[in-house]
C-alpha cells in the first residue's frame, strides 16, 4: 500500500514539474523504473544477503500471513512447540513442492522429536547438498554414529555440521567457533533461521 502511494506521489510531483518545465512523459517512466529497481533490489538483498537481523525481521513480519514466514518468527521467539507444529502443518498443506515438503516436513518431525520421521521426509532430497546436509544433521542430533566426511559446496554447511558435532560433544568452545564461521557465510532468511537455531542450542550448553 505504501509503495503504491509513493508511486502516486512521484507521479503527482512529476506532473507539476512537467507542466512547469515541459518535461517528457518518458521521464516519469524512467524515475519509476529506477525507484522500482532499487526497491526490489533491496528486498532481494534482505532476503538472501543481509546479516541485519532487525531488517530481516521487519521484512519477514511484513509477510507473516504466509505460514513459512510466520514459522520463522515463531522459531525466532522459541515459541511453544504446539504453535510451531500447527504452523508447519499449514506450510505442508499449502506448499506441495518436494523441496518444501522435505524441508518443512523435517522441521515438523524434529518439533515432535521424531528422528525417524525426519529421515523419511528428507529422503527425496538425498543426493543434493541441502538433502545430504540435512540428513547428516539429523543423524548427528539423533545420536547416531556419524562417520561421513562429506564436503558441501556451501561452506556454511561444512561449519554447521562441525558445530552440531561440537554441540553433541558438549564442547562449547568448538561450538562457538564453528557457529561464527557458519554464520559468516550465510545471509538473509538463512542467516536469520540459523542464528536463532544456534542461539537456542547454545542456551542448552551454557
Amino acid at each position: 500500500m505504501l509503495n503504491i502511494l509513493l508511486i502516486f506521489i512521484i507521479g503527482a510531483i512529476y506532473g507539476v514539474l512537467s507542466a512547469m518545465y515541459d518535461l517528457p512523459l518518458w521521464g516519469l517512466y524512467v524515475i519509476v523504473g529506477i525507484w522500482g529497481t532499487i526497491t526490489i533490489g533491496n528486498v532481494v538483498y534482505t532476503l538472501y544477503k543481509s546479516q541485519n537481523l532487525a531488517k530481516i525481521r521487519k521484512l519477514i513480519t511484513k509477510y507473516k500471513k504466509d505460514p513459512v514466514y510466520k514459522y520463522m518468527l515463531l522459531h525466532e521467539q522459541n515459541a511453544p512447540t504446539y504453535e510451531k507444529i500447527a504452523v508447519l502443518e499449514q506450510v505442508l498443506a499449502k506448499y506441495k513442492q518436494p523441496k518444501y515438503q522435505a524441508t518443512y516436513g523435517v522441521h515438523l518431525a524434529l518439533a515432535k522429536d521424531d528422528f525417524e520421521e525426519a529421515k523419511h521426509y528428507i529422503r527425496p532430497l538425498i543426493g543434493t547438498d541441502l538433502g545430504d546436509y540435512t540428513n547428516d544433521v539429523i543423524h548427528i542430533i539423533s545420536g547416531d554414529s556419524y562417520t561421513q566426511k562429506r564436503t558441501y559446496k556451501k561452506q556454511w554447511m561444512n561449519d554447521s555440521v562441525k558445530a552440531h558435532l561440537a554441540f553433541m560433544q558438549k564442547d562449547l568452545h568448538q561450538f562457538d567457533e564453528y557457529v561464527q564461521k557458519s554464520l559468516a557465510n550465510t545471509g538473509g532468511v538463512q542467516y536469520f533461521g540459523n542464528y536463532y537455531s544456534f542461539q537456542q542450542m547454545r542456551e542448552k550448553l551454557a
Side-chain angles (χ1 to χ4, degrees):
M1 185 66 182
L2 180 59
N3 289 341
I4 295 175
L5 180 60
L6 285 172
I7 290 174
F8 279 122
I9 292 173
I10 291 171
I13 293 173
Y14 192 85
V16 172
L17 293 175
S18 179
M20 292 174 61
Y21 302 107
D22 194 27
L23 299 176
L25 180 61
W26 58 261
L28 175 60
Y29 298 143
V30 171
I31 292 172
V32 172
I34 293 173
W35 175 80
T37 300
I38 293 172
T39 300
I40 294 171
N42 185 54
V43 170
V44 172
Y45 177 81
T46 301
L47 282 174
Y48 295 103
K49 294 293 184 180
S50 177
Q51 293 190 343
N52 185 323
L53 290 170
K55 191 174 182 180
I56 300 169
R57 184 185 302 107
K58 182 178 180 181
L59 184 61
I60 291 173
T61 302
K62 184 178 179 181
Y63 298 105
K64 66 180 180 180
K65 288 185 178 180
D66 187 304
V68 168
Y69 293 103
K70 186 175 181 180
Y71 173 70
M72 290 181 187
L73 293 175
L74 291 178
H75 179 60
E76 175 208 0
Q77 299 158 7
N78 199 14
T81 301
Y82 72 89
E83 291 186 26
K84 294 179 182 179
I85 289 175
V87 173
L88 286 167
E89 288 174 343
Q90 291 175 24
V91 174
L92 295 179
K94 181 174 182 178
Y95 295 101
K96 299 300 183 182
Q97 299 94 320
K99 188 173 180 179
Y100 278 89
Q101 289 291 310
T103 303
Y104 290 95
V106 167
H107 283 290
L108 177 62
L110 293 181
K112 298 176 180 178
D113 289 326
D114 191 334
F115 297 112
E116 292 306 313
E117 185 178 0
K119 294 172 187 175
H120 170 76
Y121 270 115
I122 201 59
R123 198 167 294 145
L125 295 186
I126 297 297
T128 68
D129 252 19
L130 177 62
D132 291 340
Y133 161 76
T134 304
N135 188 53
D136 287 348
V137 169
I138 293 169
H139 280 276
I140 291 169
I141 63 177
S142 67
D144 291 346
S145 176
Y146 179 76
T147 57
Q148 293 287 351
K149 300 297 181 183
R150 212 186 316 264
T151 300
Y152 305 101
K153 294 177 183 177
K154 295 181 178 179
Q155 184 56 40
W156 72 262
M157 292 183 176
N158 296 310
D159 292 319
S160 178
V161 165
K162 292 175 183 176
H164 281 83
L165 285 168
F167 172 78
M168 294 303 292
Q169 295 163 3
K170 303 187 185 302
D171 187 332
L172 183 57
H173 176 73
Q174 287 283 297
F175 176 78
D176 284 343
E177 177 183 344
Y178 286 114
V179 164
Q180 291 305 314
K181 288 182 178 180
S182 180
L183 290 177
N185 287 292
T186 58
V189 292
Q190 185 71 62
Y191 177 83
F192 187 86
N194 287 9
Y195 179 91
Y196 289 106
S197 290
F198 286 136
Q199 183 183 77
Q200 291 162 25
M201 290 169 70
R202 196 185 194 287
E203 289 172 357
K204 296 178 180 179
L205 288 178

